[in-house]
């Protein structure tokens, strides 16, 4: 019988669907990838393989791709592997003293693929990007403050890194109305996309909340601001993985469910994997019925 002609299909789907199972899958994957280390992705994707196998999928595979900034996988060059190794902080040193970014409070205070500072960190002047010449930014040895989300597919990051800036500090003022105290995550640092290429220069990147960003603007409008940043990260040649599985059918046509991994939130995109697994498992049970 054609499944889509069954009058009781909706009721059957409701019985098969488990919100508890979806939430458990989502939360487990989030916990496995919470460190944001590429070195943790081996374990997280191995767990994804087991989840798919336990759900009864066929041809479950984990495909390794080189994460080296020069090797392409599908339509992207994979950036180098990246690990957040330990506590990373940014502090105002002058004209006042204040801790304004701390990964012990939120790992989102550092951007994905942020380069490390020398041991012990860097103390330098903070300058406003709005006061720099975008074509020839005078920022060597200085931290640069940017108001807003970091631009994607824009020479902004590359021009500052190539000019020898000590690092970038950004604040997404777009979220000030509803999340004034929350830093914003980003991984968009490429000249051609969100990803670095192997030869691209990299710098430390800190994210501060809109409230802190507004305060930095006020300080900068009154004179020189000195900050101290310490970034404990690592960029290296590693691996990244795609996990695939199949529910065999009777035709050559294929229907794909896709969800990406490795993002640092429940909704983006641990939820995607959890829902894909649940929907596909429900479909398999209907086929087997």
């Amino acid at each position: 019988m054609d499944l889509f002609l069954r009058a009781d299909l909706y009721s059957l789907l409701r019985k098969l669907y488990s919100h508890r199972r979806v939430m458990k899958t989502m939360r487990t994957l989030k916990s496995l990838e919470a460190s944001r280390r590429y070195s943790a992705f081996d374990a997280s994707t191995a767990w994804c393989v087991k989840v798919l196998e336990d759900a009864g999928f066929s041809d479950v595979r984990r495909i390794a791709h080189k994460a080296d900034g020069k090797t392409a996988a599908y339509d992207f060059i994979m950036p180098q592997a990246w690990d957040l190794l330990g506590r990373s902080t940014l502090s105002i040193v002058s004209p006042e003293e204040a801790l304004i970014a701390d990964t012990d409070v939120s790992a989102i205070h550092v951007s994905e693929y942020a380069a490390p500072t020398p041991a012990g960190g860097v103390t330098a002047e903070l300058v406003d990007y709005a006061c720099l010449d975008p074509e020839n930014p005078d920022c060597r040895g200085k931290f640069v403050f940017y108001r807003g989300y970091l631009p994607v597919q824009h020479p902004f990051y590359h021009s500052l890194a190539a000019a020898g800036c000590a690092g970038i500090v950004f604040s997404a003022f777009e979220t000030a109305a509803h999340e004034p105290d929350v830093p914003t995550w980003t991984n968009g640092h490429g000249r051609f996309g969100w990803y670095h290429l192997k030869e691209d220069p990299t710098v430390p990147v800190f994210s501060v909340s809109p409230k802190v960003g507004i305060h930095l603007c006020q300080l900068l409008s009154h004179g020189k601001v000195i900050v101290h940043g310490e970034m404990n990260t690592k960029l290296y040649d590693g691996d990244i993985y795609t996990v695939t599985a199949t529910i065999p059918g009777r035709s050559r046509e294929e229907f794909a469910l896709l969800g990406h991994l490795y993002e640092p939130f429940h909704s983006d995109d641990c939820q995607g994997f959890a829902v894909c697994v649940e929907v596909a498992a429900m479909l398999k049970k209907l086929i087997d019925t």
Side-chain angles (χ1 to χ4, degrees):
M1 179 186 295
D2 189 329
L3 290 174
F4 296 100
L5 295 180
R6 292 176 58 165
D8 63 341
L9 180 59
Y10 178 71
S11 296
L12 181 59
L13 288 172
R14 288 190 62 186
K15 291 178 181 178
L16 293 175
Y17 174 77
S18 170
H19 181 68
R20 182 190 63 80
R21 187 165 51 233
V22 169
M23 295 299 291
K24 181 180 179 181
T25 301
M26 180 177 69
R27 287 168 176 159
T28 301
L29 182 57
K30 175 67 168 65
S31 67
L32 288 169
E33 296 186 347
S35 68
R36 299 170 65 197
R37 297 184 179 194
Y38 268 60
S39 55
F41 295 160
D42 179 67
S44 68
T45 52
W47 177 81
C48 289
V49 167
K50 185 176 186 305
V51 168
L52 292 166
E53 289 175 340
D54 290 347
F57 289 87
S58 302
D59 191 25
V60 182
R61 291 183 292 161
R62 188 178 70 157
I63 304 166
H65 310 288
K66 291 297 180 184
D68 58 9
K70 60 184 181 180
T71 303
Y74 306 109
D75 57 348
F76 284 112
I77 292 175
M78 293 294 99
Q80 281 188 292
W82 179 84
D83 282 5
L84 175 60
L85 300 178
R87 188 183 185 191
S88 300
T89 60
L90 180 69
S91 301
I92 301 172
V93 175
S94 174
E96 61 185 45
E97 294 184 2
L99 180 64
I100 58 175
D102 185 352
T103 55
D104 278 2
V105 175
S106 171
I108 307 303
H109 275 299
V110 300
S111 174
E112 214 90 347
Y113 308 110
T117 58
V122 173
T123 300
E125 182 182 357
L126 180 71
V127 295
D128 193 338
Y129 179 76
C131 298
L132 298 177
D133 177 0
E135 301 294 327
N136 187 28
D138 180 17
C139 59
R140 180 166 296 278
K142 301 174 183 178
F143 281 94
V144 177
F145 176 65
Y146 185 82
R147 312 173 192 209
Y149 290 108
L150 296 188
V152 178
Q153 293 185 322
H154 188 280
F156 159 84
Y157 177 97
H158 183 77
S159 65
L160 293 180
C165 77
I168 298 171
V169 182
F170 80 96
S171 180
F173 285 10
E174 296 88 341
T175 66
H178 58 282
E179 290 184 318
D181 297 306
V182 180
T184 302
W185 175 80
T186 184
N187 65 348
H189 304 327
R191 286 178 290 161
F192 311 107
W194 58 266
Y195 49 88
H196 291 295
L197 302 182
K198 184 65 173 283
E199 66 272 15
D200 288 342
T202 56
V203 297
V205 180
F206 290 95
S207 172
V208 297
S209 71
K211 183 182 290 185
V212 168
I214 292 169
H215 184 58
L216 286 175
C217 287
Q218 294 170 342
L219 293 178
L220 287 166
S221 69
H222 286 94
K224 183 177 290 190
V225 176
I226 305 298
V227 297
H228 178 82
E230 183 170 356
M231 185 73 74
N232 290 303
T233 57
K234 177 184 179 183
L235 285 159
Y236 60 98
D237 291 348
D239 293 303
I240 196 74
Y241 305 93
T242 297
V243 180
T244 70
T246 304
I247 300 174
R250 292 192 293 266
S251 74
R252 294 179 62 119
E253 295 179 317
E254 294 183 346
F255 182 80
L257 295 176
L258 304 173
H260 67 280
L261 306 176
Y262 314 123
E263 306 289 21
F265 305 104
H266 286 101
S267 60
D268 185 11
D269 195 49
C270 299
Q271 176 180 269
F273 174 76
V275 171
C276 282
V277 171
E278 187 67 16
V279 169
M282 291 164 59
L283 178 59
K284 187 176 188 305
K285 289 176 183 178
L286 287 171
I287 292 172
D288 293 342
T289 299

